[in-house]
């Protein structure tokens, strides 16, 4: 259904995007998505802090001081790896129904008749979900950094850069879910985006294993998968930055990538988000509601 009244331009369009973003965030709070994320995120940090406390007690009693820092960095990377998985899943679950669900319920037709431009609806939905993702990522990743600093006196190298890359990873998947929701039903959209993440995940492992074995075919296959969906490459790059140089250069932990993604992958991921979002806008503009 086309909008019967002209859509606002300029500042009015920006205001419409912000209003839709606010409504999306408020809806997540009303449906207790925000409360569940904060509550279980806090439980995650409490478990991590408790485990780290007892691990530190043993490390200080049994491990020479020179090796303690390396062991602590491994435990912190394990916490960040778990946090990264939660961020990935949450970025998909939060966004997968935000457009598709309102199309299915007919709510979006009411919004389009206010008048609100269709582009403002998609951008506002994306922005509201992104705020929620950023809050969740800040809680988990910032919490791991804070617990590590308070209990072990350790902060991973390049913590801010690594946290930013993890947020960009979630943004890539969130954008795919929002764009997919303009054409796909919620369940189909969720399965599709999770499947794309699965391709990136296994592609990342193929790239690492291919590099270790000197198999260029496996390596290039993994790189190709990273270009299709750059999420796993962003995590690999974040893990590379956030480890001590010794562990990073000698591949001492499972979190040390043998094939380190190029910093150009960050530019690719940023462009990827923009192109996917514009594609979603175009698909929604031309959809018959």
């Amino acid at each position: 259904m086309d909008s019967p009244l002209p859509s606002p331009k300029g500042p009015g369009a920006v205001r419409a995007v912000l209003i839709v973003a606010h409504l999306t965030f408020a809806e997540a709070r009303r449906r207790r998505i925000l409360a569940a994320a904060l509550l279980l995120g806090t439980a995650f940090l409490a478990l991590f802090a408790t485990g780290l406390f007892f691990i530190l007690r043993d490390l200080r009693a049994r491990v020479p001081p020179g090796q303690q820092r390396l062991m602590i960095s491994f435990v912190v990377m394990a916490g960040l790896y778990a946090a990264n998985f939660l961020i990935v899943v949450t970025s998909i679950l939060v966004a997968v129904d935000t457009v598709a669900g309102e199309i299915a319920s007919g709510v979006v037709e009411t919004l389009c008749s206010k008048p609100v431009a269709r582009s403002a609806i998609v951008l506002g939905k994306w922005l509201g979900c992104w705020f929620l993702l950023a809050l969740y990522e800040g809680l988990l990743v910032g919490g791991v950094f804070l617990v590590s600093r308070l209990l072990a006196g350790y902060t991973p190298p390049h913590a801010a850069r690594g946290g930013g890359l993890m947020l960009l990873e979630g943004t890539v998947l969130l954008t795919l879910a929002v764009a997919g929701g303009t054409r796909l039903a919620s369940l189909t959209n969720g399965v599709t985006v999770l499947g794309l993440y699965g391709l990136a995940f296994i592609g990342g492992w193929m790239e690492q294993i291919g590099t270790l074995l000197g198999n260029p075919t496996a390596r290039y296959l993994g790189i190709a998968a990273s270009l299709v969906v750059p999420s796993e490459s962003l995590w690999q790059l974040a893990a590379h930055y956030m480890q001590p140089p010794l562990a990073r250069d000698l591949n001492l932990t499972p979190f040390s990538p043998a094939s380190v993604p190029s910093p150009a992958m960050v530019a690719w991921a940023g462009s990827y988000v923009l192109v996917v979002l514009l594609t979603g806008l175009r698909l929604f503009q031309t959809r018959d509601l």
Side-chain angles (χ1 to χ4, degrees):
M1 185 180 72
D2 294 327
S3 173
L5 296 173
S7 301
K9 308 290 185 183
V14 175
R15 192 179 306 115
V17 170
L18 294 178
I19 289 173
V20 174
H22 172 74
L23 292 175
T24 302
F25 193 85
E27 177 66 10
R29 188 172 54 187
R30 186 190 69 78
R31 296 169 66 180
R32 300 181 181 176
I33 296 173
L34 183 61
L38 295 179
L39 179 63
L40 294 177
T42 303
F44 169 86
L45 291 175
L47 182 61
F48 174 72
T50 305
L52 181 60
F53 173 80
F54 286 105
I55 289 171
L56 285 173
R57 194 171 65 175
D58 274 0
L59 284 179
R60 286 165 178 159
R62 301 178 184 179
V63 178
Q67 298 177 14
Q68 288 181 14
R69 190 173 181 83
L70 197 59
M71 296 296 293
I72 291 170
S73 72
F74 175 76
V75 177
V76 172
M77 283 306 300
L80 290 172
Y81 182 77
N84 184 67
F85 175 74
L86 291 174
I87 290 167
V88 164
V89 174
T90 301
S91 66
I92 297 173
L93 292 180
V94 163
V96 75
D97 188 56
T98 188
V99 176
E102 296 201 353
I103 291 175
S105 66
V107 172
V108 76
E109 294 182 31
T110 306
L111 284 174
C112 288
S113 63
K114 288 303 182 181
V116 177
R118 293 191 180 194
S119 58
I121 294 173
V122 175
L123 289 174
K125 294 282 184 187
W126 180 88
L127 190 60
C129 291
W130 188 85
F131 278 137
L132 187 61
L133 173 66
L135 184 63
Y136 187 64
E137 196 260 1
L139 172 66
L140 292 189
V141 178
V144 170
F145 291 159
L146 182 62
V147 167
S148 171
R149 168 53 62 181
L150 292 177
L151 295 183
Y154 172 79
T155 301
H158 309 293
R161 188 184 302 176
L165 289 169
M166 293 170 71
L167 180 59
L168 181 56
E169 178 192 12
T171 304
V172 167
L173 296 169
L174 182 147
T175 307
L176 280 171
V178 169
T182 60
R183 287 290 174 160
L184 301 175
S186 299
L187 184 58
T188 308
N189 190 25
V191 170
T192 301
V193 180
L194 279 173
L196 289 172
Y197 171 71
L199 291 178
F201 186 80
I202 193 62
W205 276 101
M206 289 298 103
E207 181 182 350
Q208 301 306 319
I209 295 171
T211 301
L212 287 172
L213 298 179
N215 186 320
T217 303
R219 183 185 177 201
Y220 291 136
L221 191 64
I223 292 174
S226 299
L227 293 175
V228 175
V229 185
S231 54
E232 183 65 14
S233 289
L234 293 171
W235 160 249
Q236 296 287 353
L237 192 57
H240 171 76
Y241 283 131
M242 290 190 291
Q243 293 187 77
L246 181 63
R248 187 177 59 202
D249 297 339
L250 299 181
N251 295 323
L252 294 179
T253 76
F255 309 112
S256 305
S259 174
V260 181
S262 164
M265 182 58 75
V266 180
W268 171 259
S271 303
Y272 185 92
V273 168
L274 183 61
V275 169
V276 171
L277 189 56
L278 290 175
T279 302
L281 291 174
R282 177 64 181 165
L283 291 174
F284 193 56
Q285 290 278 11
T286 56
R287 173 165 182 154
D288 185 20
L289 297 176

